[in-house]
Amino acid sequence: HVFSFFKGSIIEKINWYLWTVELQVVFENFPNTRSPKAHWKAALFRCAQHLSIDAVLVFRFVSDAEMLEHNLLYLDHDTLTDILTFDLRDIPSNEVNIMISRDRVADNASDFNVSFEHELFRVMCHGLLHVTGQGDKSESEAKAMRQREEELINMFHVEPI
C-alpha cells in the first residue's frame, strides 16, 4: 500500500499526499481550464512517478512571442514551438523546467479538433517524455512519441469537474 509507512488517519495521509504534490509540481501563469489546478498537478505528479522522474516539475506558460524569444536564445531556432524542456536534475535545484506556449496549444487544439485541455495535457506529457530521453526528430521517433503521449493521456487524464 502506498501509505503503509505513514501512520495516521486517512485525512492526514491525503493531506500529506497533496502537500507532496504541491511541492513537486509548480505552475507559472497556468491557463484557465475547466479543471482545478490541483487535478492537473496530481495527474502530472502520477505521470512523473510512472516515468521515474524524480524532480521538481516547473511548468511555465508563455505567449508565442516569449516562446520564440527563448527558442532563439537557447536553441538558435527562429520558429514557433509549443514546448521547450530543460532538464536541470543534475544541479542542486533538481528541477525540470518545461515552457509551454499557450497560443500554440490553442492553435494545435483547433487543428487537431480536440479540447484545449486535452491538447494541454498532451503537450505536458510530451515534455515529460523528453525528460526520459524520448526524441521526436525522426518520423519513427515522432510516431513513438505520439503513441507514448496517448498512453499517458489514457492513464492519467485530467477530468473536468
Coordinates of all heavy atoms in Angstrom, one line a residue, residues 48 51-57 59 83-89 95-98 124-135 145 148:
A48 N 4.7 11.6 -13.7 CA 6.2 11.7 -13.5 C 6.6 10.5 -12.7 O 7.7 9.9 -13.0 CB 6.5 13.0 -12.8
L51 N 6.9 7.6 -15.0 CA 8.1 7.7 -15.9 C 9.4 7.7 -15.1 O 10.4 7.8 -15.7 CB 7.9 8.9 -16.7 CG 6.8 9.0 -17.7 CD1 6.7 10.4 -18.3 CD2 6.9 7.9 -18.8
S52 N 9.3 7.5 -13.8 CA 10.5 7.5 -12.9 C 11.3 8.8 -13.0 O 12.5 8.8 -12.9 CB 11.4 6.3 -13.2 OG 10.8 5.1 -13.1
I53 N 10.5 9.9 -13.0 CA 11.1 11.2 -13.0 C 11.0 11.7 -11.6 O 9.9 12.0 -11.1 CB 10.4 12.2 -14.0 CG1 10.5 11.7 -15.4 CG2 11.0 13.6 -13.8 CD1 9.7 12.5 -16.4
D54 N 12.2 11.8 -10.9 CA 12.2 12.3 -9.5 C 12.8 13.7 -9.5 O 14.0 13.9 -9.4 CB 13.0 11.3 -8.7 CG 13.0 11.7 -7.2 OD1 12.1 12.5 -6.8 OD2 13.9 11.3 -6.5
A55 N 11.9 14.7 -9.6 CA 12.4 16.1 -9.7 C 11.2 17.0 -9.4 O 10.1 16.6 -9.5 CB 13.0 16.4 -11.1
V56 N 11.5 18.2 -9.1 CA 10.5 19.3 -9.0 C 10.2 19.6 -10.5 O 11.0 19.9 -11.3 CB 11.0 20.5 -8.3 CG1 10.0 21.6 -8.3 CG2 11.3 20.1 -6.8
L57 N 8.9 19.6 -10.8 CA 8.4 19.9 -12.2 C 7.9 21.3 -12.2 O 7.0 21.6 -11.5 CB 7.3 18.9 -12.6 CG 7.6 17.5 -12.5 CD1 6.4 16.6 -12.8 CD2 8.8 17.1 -13.4
F59 N 6.3 24.0 -14.6 CA 5.6 24.3 -15.9 C 5.4 25.8 -16.0 O 4.7 26.3 -15.2 CB 4.3 23.5 -16.0 CG 4.5 22.0 -16.2 CD1 4.5 21.2 -15.0 CD2 4.6 21.4 -17.4 CE1 4.7 19.9 -15.1 CE2 4.7 20.1 -17.5 CZ 4.8 19.3 -16.4
I83 N 6.6 23.7 -27.1 CA 7.3 23.4 -25.8 C 8.8 23.4 -25.9 O 9.4 23.1 -26.9 CB 6.8 22.0 -25.4 CG1 7.2 21.6 -24.0 CG2 7.3 20.9 -26.4 CD1 6.5 20.4 -23.4
L84 N 9.4 23.9 -24.8 CA 10.8 23.7 -24.6 C 11.0 23.1 -23.3 O 10.3 23.4 -22.3 CB 11.5 25.1 -24.6 CG 11.6 25.9 -25.9 CD1 12.1 27.3 -25.6 CD2 12.4 25.1 -26.9
T85 N 11.9 22.1 -23.2 CA 12.1 21.3 -22.0 C 13.6 21.5 -21.5 O 14.5 21.3 -22.3 CB 11.8 19.8 -22.2 OG1 10.5 19.7 -22.7 CG2 11.9 19.0 -20.9
F86 N 13.7 21.8 -20.3 CA 15.1 22.0 -19.7 C 15.2 21.0 -18.5 O 14.6 21.2 -17.5 CB 15.3 23.4 -19.2 CG 15.1 24.4 -20.3 CD1 13.9 25.1 -20.5 CD2 16.1 24.8 -21.2 CE1 13.7 26.0 -21.5 CE2 16.0 25.7 -22.2 CZ 14.7 26.3 -22.4
D87 N 16.1 20.0 -18.7 CA 16.3 19.0 -17.6 C 17.4 19.5 -16.8 O 18.6 19.5 -17.2 CB 16.6 17.7 -18.2 CG 16.7 16.5 -17.2 OD1 16.7 16.8 -16.0 OD2 16.8 15.4 -17.6
L88 N 17.1 20.0 -15.6 CA 18.1 20.5 -14.7 C 18.3 19.7 -13.4 O 18.6 20.2 -12.3 CB 17.7 22.0 -14.3 CG 17.4 22.9 -15.4 CD1 16.9 24.2 -14.9 CD2 18.7 23.1 -16.2
R89 N 18.1 18.4 -13.6 CA 18.2 17.5 -12.4 C 19.6 17.3 -11.9 O 19.8 16.9 -10.8 CB 17.6 16.1 -12.8 CG 16.1 16.1 -12.9 CD 15.5 14.8 -13.3 NE 15.9 14.5 -14.7 CZ 15.7 13.3 -15.2 NH1 15.1 12.3 -14.6 NH2 16.1 13.1 -16.5
E95 N 15.5 20.3 -10.7 CA 14.2 20.7 -11.4 C 14.2 20.2 -12.8 O 15.2 20.0 -13.5 CB 14.1 22.2 -11.4 CG 13.8 22.9 -10.1 CD 13.6 24.4 -10.2 OE1 13.7 24.9 -11.3 OE2 13.4 25.0 -9.2
V96 N 13.0 20.1 -13.3 CA 12.7 20.0 -14.7 C 11.9 21.2 -15.1 O 10.8 21.4 -14.5 CB 12.0 18.7 -15.1 CG1 11.5 18.7 -16.5 CG2 12.9 17.5 -14.8
N97 N 12.3 22.1 -16.0 CA 11.6 23.3 -16.4 C 11.0 23.0 -17.7 O 11.7 22.7 -18.7 CB 12.5 24.5 -16.4 CG 12.8 24.9 -15.0 OD1 11.9 25.3 -14.2 ND2 14.1 24.9 -14.6
I98 N 9.7 23.2 -17.8 CA 9.0 22.9 -19.1 C 8.2 24.2 -19.4 O 7.4 24.6 -18.7 CB 8.1 21.7 -19.0 CG1 8.9 20.5 -18.7 CG2 7.2 21.6 -20.3 CD1 8.1 19.2 -18.5
M124 N 2.1 18.7 -22.1 CA 2.7 18.5 -20.8 C 3.4 17.1 -20.8 O 4.5 16.9 -20.3 CB 1.8 18.7 -19.7 CG 1.3 20.1 -19.6 SD -0.1 20.3 -18.5 CE 0.6 21.4 -17.3
C125 N 2.7 16.1 -21.2 CA 3.2 14.7 -21.3 C 4.4 14.7 -22.2 O 5.4 14.0 -22.0 CB 2.1 13.7 -21.7 SG 0.9 13.4 -20.5
H126 N 4.3 15.4 -23.3 CA 5.3 15.4 -24.3 C 6.6 15.9 -23.7 O 7.7 15.3 -23.9 CB 4.9 16.4 -25.5 CG 5.9 16.5 -26.6 ND1 5.7 15.7 -27.7 CD2 7.0 17.3 -26.8 CE1 6.7 16.1 -28.6 NE2 7.5 17.0 -28.0
G127 N 6.5 17.0 -22.9 CA 7.7 17.5 -22.2 C 8.3 16.5 -21.2 O 9.5 16.3 -21.1
L128 N 7.4 15.8 -20.5 CA 7.9 14.8 -19.5 C 8.6 13.6 -20.3 O 9.6 13.1 -19.8 CB 6.8 14.2 -18.7 CG 6.2 15.3 -17.7 CD1 5.0 14.6 -16.9 CD2 7.3 15.8 -16.7
L129 N 8.1 13.3 -21.4 CA 8.7 12.2 -22.2 C 10.1 12.6 -22.7 O 11.0 11.8 -22.8 CB 7.8 11.8 -23.4 CG 6.6 11.0 -22.9 CD1 5.6 10.9 -24.1 CD2 7.0 9.6 -22.4
H130 N 10.2 13.9 -23.1 CA 11.6 14.4 -23.5 C 12.6 14.2 -22.3 O 13.7 13.9 -22.6 CB 11.5 15.9 -23.9 CG 11.2 16.1 -25.3 ND1 11.8 15.4 -26.4 CD2 10.3 16.9 -25.9 CE1 11.3 15.8 -27.5 NE2 10.3 16.7 -27.2
V131 N 12.1 14.4 -21.1 CA 13.0 14.3 -19.9 C 13.5 12.8 -19.8 O 14.6 12.6 -19.4 CB 12.3 14.7 -18.6 CG1 13.1 14.4 -17.4 CG2 12.0 16.2 -18.7
T132 N 12.7 11.9 -20.2 CA 13.1 10.4 -20.2 C 14.0 10.1 -21.3 O 14.4 8.9 -21.4 CB 11.8 9.5 -20.2 OG1 11.2 9.6 -21.5 CG2 10.9 9.8 -19.1
G133 N 14.2 11.0 -22.3 CA 15.1 10.7 -23.4 C 14.3 10.4 -24.7 O 15.0 10.2 -25.7
Q134 N 13.0 10.4 -24.6 CA 12.2 10.2 -25.9 C 12.4 11.4 -26.8 O 12.1 12.5 -26.5 CB 10.8 10.0 -25.5 CG 9.8 9.9 -26.7 CD 10.0 8.6 -27.5 OE1 10.0 7.5 -26.8 NE2 10.2 8.6 -28.8
G135 N 12.9 11.1 -28.0 CA 13.1 12.1 -29.0 C 11.9 12.2 -29.9 O 10.9 11.4 -29.8
M145 N 6.7 8.9 -30.0 CA 6.4 9.9 -29.0 C 4.8 10.0 -28.9 O 4.3 10.1 -27.8 CB 7.0 11.2 -29.4 CG 6.6 12.4 -28.6 SD 7.2 12.4 -26.9 CE 8.8 13.2 -27.1
R148 N 3.3 7.2 -27.0 CA 3.5 7.2 -25.6 C 2.7 8.4 -25.0 O 2.2 8.2 -23.8 CB 5.0 7.4 -25.3 CG 5.8 6.2 -25.6 CD 7.2 6.2 -25.2 NE 7.3 6.1 -23.7 CZ 8.3 6.4 -23.0 NH1 9.4 6.9 -23.6 NH2 8.3 6.3 -21.7

